[in-house]
Amino acid sequence: MPDHIRPYEPLTSENAALVLVDHQVGLMSGVRDYSIAELTHNVVGLAKAAKALKLPIVVTTTARDSMWGPTIPELVEALPGVQITDRSTVNAFDDPPIARAIEATGRKKLIFAGLSLEVCAAFPAITAVGRGLDAYVAVDACGTFSETKRQTGLLRMMQAGVIVSDYATLMIEVLKDNARPEAGAVYAAIDMDWAKLVGQIAKAHER
C-alpha cells in the first residue's frame, strides 16, 4: 500500500465537527455555480443534519459590518443559539478565537463549507491538513463566483489532501446506522424525509 493511502476511518458523531465559513448575504449574491436557492437549501440541510447528529458546529463570518453583511437568515434560523464569530482574516484558521473554537471541539475530523469554495472553505481545510487533522469539504454547501474558481479550488484542495464530497453523503457517513434514533431527522434535513414514509409503509405491510 502506498504511503499516501491510509486505511479508511469513517466520520462519526464522536470524531467529527462542522465548520461553516462566511455564508453571508453579500457573498451569496455573487455565487454563480449554484442558484442561491439551491445553495441555501444545501447549507441549511448540512447544518440541520449536523445538529441532529450532535456534531460540534463552529460558525464564522468575515467583515460582517463593513463588507459582506450578516449570515444568511435561513442558516441563523437553523442553528438557534449557535455563536457566530466575526473576524477580519481571510483564512478562518488565522483568527485566534476561531482557531481556539475549532480546537476546543477536540475533533480530529473537520467538515468545512464556505463562501467562497476556493478561499473560505479551501484555506482552512488545507491548514487543517497541515496541522495533522483530516479535512473534508462539502462542495455543494459551498459556492463561488466562476467555473474557473470552482475547478481550480477543487484541484488545489485535492492536491493538498483534503477530502471532497457532497453534504448529504458526509452526513450519512456520520449517521452510520439507520437504526439510530437520529436517522429520521437526518434524512429530513438532507431532503429525504420520504425515507421515513417508506419505512412506515413497510411496517404497515408487516402487520
Side-chain angles (χ1 to χ4, degrees), residues 54-134:
K54 301 179 177 61
L55 300 188
I57 302 174
V58 176
V59 185
T60 180
T61 55
T62 186
R64 179 168 57 209
D65 298 324
S66 60
M67 292 182 69
W68 303 124
T71 300
I72 58 172
E74 296 88 345
L75 184 56
V76 175
E77 183 180 353
L79 296 173
V82 173
Q83 180 180 353
I84 301 174
T85 304
D86 195 52
R87 66 183 203 286
S88 62
T89 62
V90 172
N91 184 342
F93 247 127
D94 287 342
D95 182 76
I98 297 299
R100 286 195 295 269
I102 294 172
E103 291 163 3
T105 68
R107 305 303 174 87
K108 302 301 183 185
K109 292 180 177 289
L110 303 176
I111 301 168
F112 293 90
L115 297 184
S116 64
L117 169 72
E118 77 288 353
V119 173
C120 300
F123 288 0
I126 292 169
T127 301
V129 171
R131 296 186 180 191
L133 303 169
D134 292 333

Side-chain angles (χ1 to χ4, degrees), residues 8-9 16 59 84 112 114 125 135-136 170 173 181 196 198:
Y8 171 55
E9 182 185 355
V59 185
I84 301 174
F112 293 90
Y136 301 72
L170 293 169
E173 182 173 346
K196 186 175 181 180
V198 171

Side-chain angles (χ1 to χ4, degrees), residues 12-14 45-55 107 168 171-193 195-196:
T12 70
S13 290
E14 290 71 41
L46 172 62
K48 287 182 175 179
K51 183 180 176 184
L53 290 162
K54 301 179 177 61
L55 300 188
R107 305 303 174 87
M171 293 298 99
I172 294 300
E173 182 173 346
V174 174
L175 176 64
K176 188 176 181 178
D177 189 339
N178 288 311
R180 286 181 61 172
E182 301 92 346
V186 171
Y187 282 113
I190 65 173
D191 217 21
M192 290 179 63
D193 47 357
K196 186 175 181 180

Side-chain angles (χ1 to χ4, degrees), residues 3-25:
D3 292 340
H4 68 281
I5 297 178
R6 294 181 297 168
Y8 171 55
E9 182 185 355
L11 293 160
T12 70
S13 290
E14 290 71 41
N15 66 16
L18 176 64
V19 184
L20 299 175
V21 186
D22 303 353
H23 292 89
Q24 295 168 253
V25 172

